[in-house]
Amino acid sequence: MDIQKVGVIGCGLMGSGIAQTAAMSGFPTVVREVSQPLLDKGLASIEKSLSKFVEKETVTAEQKAQALARLRPTLSLDDFADCDLVIEAIVENLERKRELFAELDKKVKPGAIFASNTSSLSITEMMTATQRTPRFLGLHFFNPVPIMKLVEVVKTVVTDQSVVETGLDFGRRLGKTPVLTSDRGGFIVNRLLVPYLLDSIRALEEGVGSIEDIDNGMKLGCGHPMGPLTLADFVGLDTTYHIAEILYREYREQRFAPPPLIKRMVLAGMLGRKSGKGFYDYSDPKNPKPNRFLTSNR
Ligand code: CAA
Ligand code: NAD
């Protein structure tokens, strides 16, 4: 199956990265948001990321212009009718995703493949909103998408083998290494990563170490590029919390249970890097400082 035209639904943190990567890899790419300001915001982050690559001389100014020219921003789902592959990257909410896929199923040509970038929801529960269950799979990318080399290709019990092969091949055409996994909560990476992030929060709550010492412990002791509390802020504490809730419901195991502190931080609007405060305070983004509220009032 030859993928020529790609559609991406959602142009937030992940959708903008997926659309950018597809366009950089030569695919004409339609990308949709729910409002013009959000679409403009997503396109501005694509522009910024491409400019970083140009500064680093990994991409030429001409390649940047070509990638931008391959992008077709839209507010309408009608523009996805002739896409060969549509990748959903909207908020992590099963009902919203099912509604979207049911609507897309009516508008997009029957031969097209549908994919979700969900972190933790069941691909099977999404695909049943459509009439194309054999042509439905997960394509789970990692943040920041233009840099991270992995894509998880998620097959369900009914995904057609040719669709799985097309997903793996598409990942390679984006310059990623695909890994194949089955539709179980968290797939490979989040099943292992999320309990680790949650444990770092429990360690903080129990006074095992300070925010900086927990992060430095894992960065310098294990060679991770970011400590776990920095990484939770980077993923988004709301996203991390929602993933933990979903995995806890799936497995009913304590290791997936979100610790009380993360719930309270999310309720208080401390969502990590994107809101300016999480375990760190990003008032000076180049020099984050541990969040002083947490050092005094946990
Ligand atoms: N676009 C283009 N270039 C970018 C970029 C972007 N969006 N982000 C960073 N870069 C480039 C920078 O220009 C920089 O290049 P140079 O070093 O050549 O100047 C390089 O990437 C490194 O960037 P920074 O110096 O800004 O920052 P860093 O050294 O801390 O690296 C990082 C940033 C690549 C994000 C690194 O810290 C990292 O790998 N962190 C871990 C990320 C991770 O684990 N992601 C997975 C999260 S889990 C997930 O995504 C799944 C889920 O479902 C929740
Ligand atoms: P985000 O909040 O940054 O972006 C989601 C975007 O989708 C928002 O801009 C929203 O306006 C838009 N949206 C909502 N409904 C829409 C619709 N019907 N049509 C078009 N756009 C719509 O969230 P995100 O971090 O980019 O996460 C998106 C998905 O990717 C989630 O399923 C998440 O679990 C998954 N994911 C996130 C990460 C991460 O590190 N944040 C990593 C991998 C996968």
Side-chain angles (χ1 to χ4, degrees):
M1 229 171 284
D2 190 24
I3 303 296
Q4 296 196 9
K5 187 171 174 185
V6 175
V8 179
I9 317 266
C11 195
L13 192 62
M14 296 302 290
S16 62
I18 298 168
Q20 174 188 336
T21 307
M24 286 172 78
S25 308
F27 294 97
T29 305
V30 193
V31 57
R32 189 229 188 185
E33 254 301 339
V34 287
S35 71
Q36 195 58 47
L38 285 169
L39 195 53
D40 291 343
K41 188 173 166 219
L43 292 171
S45 75
I46 293 176
E47 219 280 331
K48 195 170 156 204
S49 170
L50 283 167
S51 298
K52 266 195 193 174
F53 284 125
V54 173
E55 271 166 41
K56 285 165 54 191
E57 298 183 356
T58 46
V59 162
T60 64
E62 197 191 347
Q63 285 168 324
K64 172 186 164 186
Q66 285 168 345
L68 288 172
R70 284 187 204 107
L71 282 174
R72 171 148 180 232
T74 183
L75 297 176
S76 167
L77 288 183
D78 295 333
D79 293 325
F80 290 78
D82 63 343
C83 287
D84 303 301
L85 168 68
V86 179
I87 306 169
E88 166 278 315
I90 71 166
V91 283
E92 189 74 338
N93 175 301
L94 182 62
E95 270 325 298
R96 297 271 300 272
K97 288 186 195 272
R98 280 181 58 89
E99 274 164 32
L100 172 71
F101 279 119
E103 207 179 337
L104 278 172
D105 202 32
K106 291 185 212 130
K107 295 188 183 255
V108 182
K109 64 181 180 188
I113 296 174
F114 285 178
S116 172
N117 180 54
T118 181
S119 299
S120 52
L121 291 166
S122 155
I123 302 294
T124 310
E125 278 187 88
M126 276 176 242
M127 84 184 182
T128 53
T130 75
Q131 302 299 313
R132 60 181 88 201
T133 52
R135 309 181 67 73
F136 203 116
L137 79 175
L139 287 177
H140 182 219
F141 292 86
F142 291 80
N143 179 25
V145 182
I147 306 270
M148 303 303 281
K149 290 293 176 209
L150 185 73
V151 60
E152 290 184 306
V153 176
V154 187
K155 61 175 180 166
T156 73
V157 287
V158 295
T159 312
D160 203 280
Q161 187 54 29
S162 66
V163 172
V164 172
E165 294 300 334
T166 304
L168 294 166
D169 182 58
F170 177 70
R172 289 184 204 105
R173 286 172 72 188
L174 296 190
K176 310 287 183 206
T177 298
V179 292
L180 183 60
T181 178
S182 56
D183 185 29
R184 295 289 183 278
F187 316 128
I188 297 173
V189 174
N190 282 337
R191 182 191 176 117
L192 299 174
L193 175 68
V194 171
Y196 158 66
L197 298 183
L198 300 176
D199 255 350
S200 73
I201 301 170
R202 287 190 257 273
L204 179 69
E205 284 193 295
E206 288 166 19
V208 172
S210 67
I211 293 172
E212 277 169 312
D213 285 348
I214 290 173
D215 272 352
N216 277 333
M218 294 310 292
K219 249 175 88 170
L220 306 178
C222 295
H224 291 189
M226 287 175 169
L229 298 169
T230 303
L231 184 53
D233 273 359
F234 184 68
V235 168
L237 298 186
D238 50 346
T239 305
T240 307
Y241 176 71
H242 291 310
I243 298 173
E245 283 280 23
I246 293 163
L247 295 183
Y248 184 63
R249 277 201 297 275
E250 168 106 345
Y251 295 107
R252 324 259 166 148
E253 286 177 26
Q254 204 54 33
R255 65 199 173 109
F256 296 107
L261 179 60
I262 190 171
K263 179 174 177 185
R264 278 144 187 83
M265 290 175 73
V266 172
L267 288 171
M270 292 177 187
L271 307 183
R273 200 184 278 218
K274 64 181 161 189
S275 73
K277 258 197 194 73
F279 291 103
Y280 292 85
D281 182 328
Y282 298 90
S283 310
D284 175 4
K286 293 237 176 276
N287 188 20
K289 297 263 183 324
N291 182 342
R292 67 184 172 81
F293 289 105
L294 297 183
T295 49
S296 49
N297 322 312
R298 260 195 320 272

